[in-house]
Amino acid sequence: MHKDCERIMLTEEQLRARVKEVALEIDKLYEGKRPLVVGILKGSIIFYSDFIRHLTVPVELDFMAVSSYGSGAVSSGKLNIKKDLDRDVKGRDVIIVEDIIDSGFTLANLKVLLSERGAASVRIVTLLNKLERREYDIEPDFNCFDIENEFVIGYGLDYNEHYRSLPYIGILKRSVYEK
Ligand code: PRP
C-alpha cells in the first residue's frame, strides 16, 4: 500500500469483479445499439478502459474535459468545457462514464447539455457515488459502489494530480492534505 494511504477502500479484485458485473448489465441493455461512450477526463480513464473491454456491443469512444467556473469547495456557476466531444451526439445513445459523483454538479449539467444537443438517450455510469455530498438532483443509472465521504485516491482519482495510477481505491491520510 502507498505510504500516503490510510487504508485501502476497494481492492483490485473488488474493482475488477464489480466493474465487470455492471458492464455486463449495461451490455445487455444496449443489445442491437451502437452507443457513444463518453469518458469524463481525467478521473474516469482507468474505470473507462476496464469498463469498455467487457462490452460486446459495438461502441464509439469519445471524451470530454470539464470544470466548473470559479473555485472553492462548493461547485458554483456553469460548466466550463475544456475539451468537447469530437462526435455529434444527435440521435445517439450516450453513456457517460464518470469516476465519482460528489455534489452532482458536473453530471447534472452534462446530462442537460447532451440532451439539449439532441442525444436519443443519455445514461450515466459511475464507479463511485458519494451520496452524502449530493447538492444537485442527479442520480446515476448505474453505480458500482456507494462510498462514505472520504478522500479517495487511485484507480484514476487524484489529489493534486498524484496517485491516479494506483491500482486500488485508497483513502488519503489526512496529514497529506491538511499540511
Ligand atoms: C471530479 C470527478 C467528476 C467531478 C465530480 O473531477 O471526476 O467529474 O469531480 O464532482 P461533482 O459531482 O461535485 O461535480 P475533477 O474536477 O476532480 O477532475 P479530474 O477528473 O480530472 O480529477
Side-chain angles (χ1 to χ4, degrees):
M1 184 175 79
H2 193 287
K3 65 173 177 47
D4 293 347
C5 273
E6 185 69 46
R7 66 179 170 87
I8 292 179
M9 180 187 266
L10 296 164
T11 65
E12 288 184 67
E13 291 71 25
Q14 286 173 306
L15 289 163
R16 194 179 305 124
R18 181 64 181 144
V19 169
K20 180 175 182 181
E21 189 174 45
V22 171
L24 295 182
E25 194 186 331
I26 293 173
D27 195 45
K28 259 194 223 137
L29 190 70
Y30 285 85
E31 207 177 304
K33 302 204 160 142
R34 188 163 191 268
L36 184 67
V37 186
V38 174
I40 309 306
L41 299 172
K42 303 173 199 166
S44 72
I45 55 157
I46 297 181
F47 173 46
Y48 185 99
S49 63
D50 283 346
F51 167 71
I52 57 168
R53 284 180 289 173
H54 291 295
L55 302 179
T56 62
V57 293
V59 290
E60 266 187 79
L61 313 184
D62 211 339
F63 299 91
M64 282 182 94
V66 297
S67 64
S68 52
Y69 285 114
S71 56
V74 180
S75 304
S76 61
K78 228 174 144 261
L79 204 63
N80 176 29
I81 300 174
K82 295 191 285 185
K83 184 230 172 287
D84 209 337
L85 297 170
D86 295 331
R87 315 298 282 173
D88 186 358
V89 298
K90 208 173 167 65
R92 301 298 306 266
D93 294 302
V94 176
I95 304 172
I96 301 177
V97 181
E98 260 291 20
D99 54 331
I100 188 163
I101 310 183
D102 200 331
S103 71
F105 173 84
T106 306
L107 282 172
N109 281 282
L110 264 180
K111 196 165 181 177
V112 170
L113 178 76
L114 298 185
S115 301
E116 280 175 359
R117 288 183 181 178
S121 66
V122 181
R123 287 198 178 97
I124 294 163
V125 56
T126 188
L127 178 72
L128 307 174
N129 191 20
K130 255 190 196 176
L131 265 175
E132 206 184 306
R133 297 261 302 168
R134 196 73 87 255
E135 293 170 41
Y136 294 82
D137 186 22
I138 188 86
E139 286 309 320
D141 298 277
F142 304 95
N143 169 33
C144 297
F145 300 97
D146 281 321
I147 63 164
E148 303 292 309
N149 188 17
E150 304 273 13
F151 201 129
V152 279
I153 51 164
Y155 199 72
L157 288 93
D158 75 312
Y159 169 59
N160 280 347
E161 296 301 327
H162 292 285
Y163 317 113
R164 288 196 198 272
S165 59
L166 295 177
Y168 48 81
I169 299 278
I171 298 177
L172 187 62
K173 283 183 180 163
R174 294 189 82 90
S175 57
V176 176
Y177 58 90
E178 284 183 347
K179 68 184 169 197

